[in-house]
Structure formats: C-alpha cells, structure tokens
Amino acid sequence: MSPSEQIYERAKRVMPGGCSRNTILRKPHPVYVKHAKGCIVTDIEGKERIDFANNVASLIHGHAHPATINAVGEQLQRGTAYTVGTEIEVSYAEQMVKRCASFEKIRFVNSGTEAVMSCIKAARAYTNKPKIAKVEGSYHGLYDYAEVSQTAKPNNWGDIEHPARVPVSQGTPQGALDDVVIIPFNDTVRAIKILDEHKDSIAAVLLDLLPHRIGVIPADPSFVKALRNWATENQALLIFDEVITFRTNYDGAQGSYDVKPDLTAMGKMIGGGFPVGALSGRADIMDVMNPLNGPARFPHYGTFSANPITMTAGKTAMEWFNQQAVIRLNKLSDLARSAIEEGIKISGVSACVTGAGSMFRIHFKELAPTNYRSAFINSDEQRYLATFLDHVFDEGLLMIETGSGLLSTAMTSAEIDQMADIMLGGFRKVKALQ
Ligand code: PMP
C-alpha cells in the first residue's frame, strides 16, 4: 500500500467517507499533501502537480504566498483570536469598502455559506418578507434555502416554465422549500413571470454572475438589469454571490455590469488562504445588524468572525491583488482558454471551453451550454470527463471535478504551456472513446 492509501484506510475508520470535506476524495483513494509552494502541490509520494484548483478558487496567489505568510507569522506571535477588537479588522474593512462601488459597509464571517446565509437573513429583516429567488443549479453553499435545486436532475427538475424546488439534503423541511423560488438562468421572460407570481413575498433575488455549476457562463447584462429593475420595483433586494467571482475584476464580477446589487456575499480568496466570508452593500441595509440603536433586526455574531489571522492574510492578499495583478492574471487566463481551444481543435474531440476572468470550464459537448439544463453532464459526458480528469491528474494537473480550473498569480505562461500539453493528451484519450 502507498503512504496515501495507508492514511486513507485510517481516515475511513474515523470520518464518514474518510474526510471532513468530500472535495478531497478521489478513486481509488485520495492523495495527501506533503507541501505546496506557488502553483505547485507536492503529495506525500513526491508527485508534483500544477494547481488549477487553488482550494476551489480560494487561493489567488497560489500556496505559501511570501508576503501573506510573513504577515500572518507576525500576527501569530501576538495571538490568534480575542474577545476584543483588532485594528486589522477595521483597516481591512476600509480597504474592501474602497474596492467596489456597491460596498458602503461590510461585515466579515467565516465561510461563503455563512456570507450567503447572512445576506439572506439581512434581506428578510430589511424587507420583512420570507422568500428568496435563486437560479436553478447555482451553488451558494449549504444553507437550506440557498442550496435548493442546486443538484436538480432531468427526472426531477420539472417544467422550465416553473422549475421544481428540489432539495439537496434529505430531510430538508418543506417550509424551507416553500420559501424558495427557482428561476431559469439568462431567461428573462420566464424568470420575471415566475418572480411576478411571488412578488409580495420575495425578500431577495440571489444571483451569481458567473456561476460555476451552471457552466461558468456569464450572466447576460440584460438578464441582470431585468432582475435589478424587478427587485427595485417590488421592494426586494438584489444579492450577488461573489464568493468565487470576486476574483474576476478588481471590484468583482459586478465591475463588468452596469448594475449595483444591494448586497454582495464574498468568501474564498478574500481570506488570503484562511477561512473567510463577508457581506457588504448598502449602509441602510447592513444596519439591520447594528445593535447600537436598540435590538438589531438581524442579530449577528460569530466566534471566529474577523479573527486577526484571517484579517491579516486577507488584507495582505488583496493588497497584492491590485489592478495590475488582476489584468495580468486575466490575460494569462485568456491564453489558457485559447490553449485549451487549440487542444480541442487539434485532437478533434467533441468539447468546448467556457469561462471569463481567471476561470475556465471544459465541457465534453459540441456547443457551449447556455443554462443549467444544457450544462448538465449526461452519463457519456461524465465518462469522458472522468477519463480526462484522471489523465491530467496522473500527468500533473490539479483541477476541479466539474472540469473547471482557476489560475493564480503564481502562474506564468510556462505553466500554461505545460497545461496545454497535458490536456492535449487527455483530449486525445477522450476522442478515442467518442
Ligand atoms: N457561493 C459560491 C458561489 C461558492 O462557490 C461557494 C463554495 N464553493 C459558496 C458560496 C460557499 O462557500 P464556503 O464553501 O466557503 O462555505
């Protein structure tokens, strides 16, 4: 047995599935990390891989970013969490509020799930209404309401005129399902019709502008504008989930749109490698968490929220992710997407690549998907994807199980060339199966 297999045998005895996080699982067994630096992760067997997973989009500068590590090292000596404020929380909040036009006030939490949940609770408290609307198939973390229909399948997703409310976890209370309205992505006419049916009870419309699970296809500006107008006209809030997409521009994916959300949920990269979430937006809405003028409408706490380790790492990482760094990373990502397209062409495989900013996703489909239903991976495509992902993993690339990848600033064109070579081999293998 290899060292990784031995660890996994121990892991299965003490954790369901052998882990705390299904993301690490691989067949026949996961591998375990020895160390990581920049864009290279080395496992305990000594195999090196170029990291296009970046802890599912959370590492913008790759691993062990020197400036972040130094700053955190100094803070570690002074303590890790107190029941007393820290100035670093305030200076990081100041930095973030300056970064994006829709950010007037901000609060930090510990995960993207918590950020989305807090946005929803803030919206309910502000509007005094119970329901949220979300796009079919979009992932927003584990909160009961936010996860509805994230894993809908052809046999249960229902009619497109009224997509079904499909629970993810067994035992999700019917009450939670009843308070979620599912709309189709980039389909303005149908979405508005569905929203109108619930217009007196919707607190917020929740939207990811470049949704990973829907295929990393950008939200159409006219769709976003229509949701903005609908929310304003119906006293509902518009929430953007930028947990992943904040990396797209200096001021998030929203920087590419002529629309301001009322609230934005963030997470992942803004923690500089440490657990984080944040919600930011209009001051009058954020003030539902303000306890200074009587009981807050949405009382908001969190033992590790804004802990100084996360604040130090996040502030440092975001300072380094300045305008120039964003431009360079997005150019490198354009190069990666073109190289993938080239590999698809050379191999003759039936596939395509989507993406924007520093994200890409490979689909084993002739045509780029346009919504969750067309992005859905059928059983043949699942087989092609598994063959491709196994190939690139064995040859030295880490990617996300959906066929997606994200770049980090630690990468250069040399890693993109290596990526292209390895992927070409994977495309050829899939071509032989098609
Ligand atoms: N929203 C989006 C768009 C996400 O991709 C994720 C995580 N993949 C979340 C929310 C939840 O974040 P976390 O895993 O930090 O709870």
Side-chain angles (χ1 to χ4, degrees), residues 34-350:
K34 187 172 179 194
H35 54 76
K37 181 112 190 82
C39 60
I40 304 294
V41 177
T42 308
D43 68 22
I44 55 173
E45 279 81 25
K47 172 88 186 166
E48 292 187 354
R49 294 183 181 84
I50 308 171
D51 193 356
F52 286 91
N54 281 301
N55 191 30
V56 196
S58 65
L59 301 170
I60 197 69
H61 301 303
H63 301 271
H65 178 239
T68 308
I69 294 305
N70 289 341
V72 168
E74 283 174 23
Q75 179 58 43
L76 278 170
Q77 305 299 324
R78 297 192 290 268
T80 60
Y82 329 93
T83 324
V84 174
T86 59
E87 191 192 348
I88 186 77
E89 173 188 0
V90 181
S91 47
Y92 191 21
E94 286 167 344
Q95 188 204 118
M96 287 299 286
V97 164
K98 274 196 212 126
R99 203 166 170 124
C100 181
S102 75
F103 296 179
E104 294 173 9
K105 283 192 176 169
I106 188 165
R107 269 200 179 197
F108 295 101
V109 292
N110 303 290
S111 68
T113 292
E114 211 184 324
V116 170
M117 177 186 77
S118 302
C119 283
I120 292 172
K121 294 181 77 166
R124 291 188 194 126
Y126 186 81
T127 62
N128 234 336
K129 293 192 275 186
K131 291 186 184 168
I132 61 151
K134 63 157 291 195
V135 166
E136 183 176 52
S138 58
Y139 186 77
H140 298 287
L142 300 180
Y143 187 39
D144 281 346
Y145 304 85
E147 71 175 12
V148 175
S149 283
Q150 186 246 303
T151 51
K153 295 192 170 48
N155 65 355
N156 64 12
W157 62 31
D159 176 8
I160 191 72
E161 303 295 332
H162 285 100
R165 300 150 177 179
V166 182
V168 172
S169 309
Q170 283 187 20
T172 301
Q174 186 60 43
L177 300 175
D178 290 346
D179 278 335
V180 179
V181 174
I182 304 295
I183 56 175
F185 186 60
N186 274 351
D187 185 340
T188 304
V189 174
R190 287 195 176 100
I192 296 295
K193 200 162 158 267
I194 295 167
L195 292 174
D196 276 342
E197 290 165 15
H198 303 268
K199 64 179 174 191
D200 297 328
S201 48
I202 292 181
V205 179
L206 175 62
L207 180 69
D208 183 331
L209 296 168
L210 190 60
H212 172 213
R213 303 284 176 127
I214 296 184
V216 196
I217 355 163
D220 195 282
S222 64
F223 180 67
V224 183
K225 190 93 183 170
L227 296 182
R228 170 69 280 174
N229 292 343
W230 187 90
T232 307
E233 283 158 18
N234 293 284
Q235 295 79 48
L237 304 186
L238 180 63
I239 301 171
F240 285 168
D241 180 345
E242 294 237 38
V243 169
I244 290 189
T245 60
F246 200 65
R247 56 166 45 230
T248 312
N249 294 305
Y250 180 76
D251 51 355
Q254 60 191 274
S256 306
Y257 292 81
D258 181 23
V259 156
K260 267 195 202 173
D262 299 300
L263 292 174
T264 299
M266 285 166 284
K268 303 221 185 221
M269 88 167 176
I270 68 158
F274 290 82
V276 79
L279 63 158
S280 191
R282 269 170 48 193
D284 61 326
I285 301 168
M286 293 292 291
D287 263 355
V288 296
M289 287 172 274
N290 179 357
L292 299 182
N293 309 313
R297 284 192 270 168
F298 164 31
H300 183 251
Y301 302 90
T303 303
F304 284 102
S305 290
N307 73 77
I309 302 300
T310 298
M311 295 295 95
T312 301
K315 179 169 181 280
T316 311
M318 287 304 94
E319 274 164 6
W320 280 79
F321 198 47
N322 55 24
Q323 303 266 15
Q324 273 169 307
V326 178
I327 292 168
R328 181 188 161 273
L329 183 64
N330 287 353
K331 278 201 179 137
L332 199 61
S333 308
D334 287 339
L335 192 70
R337 285 185 288 266
S338 309
I340 296 168
E341 259 167 22
E342 189 67 17
I344 291 171
K345 219 156 79 196
I346 295 171
S347 67
V349 71
S350 171

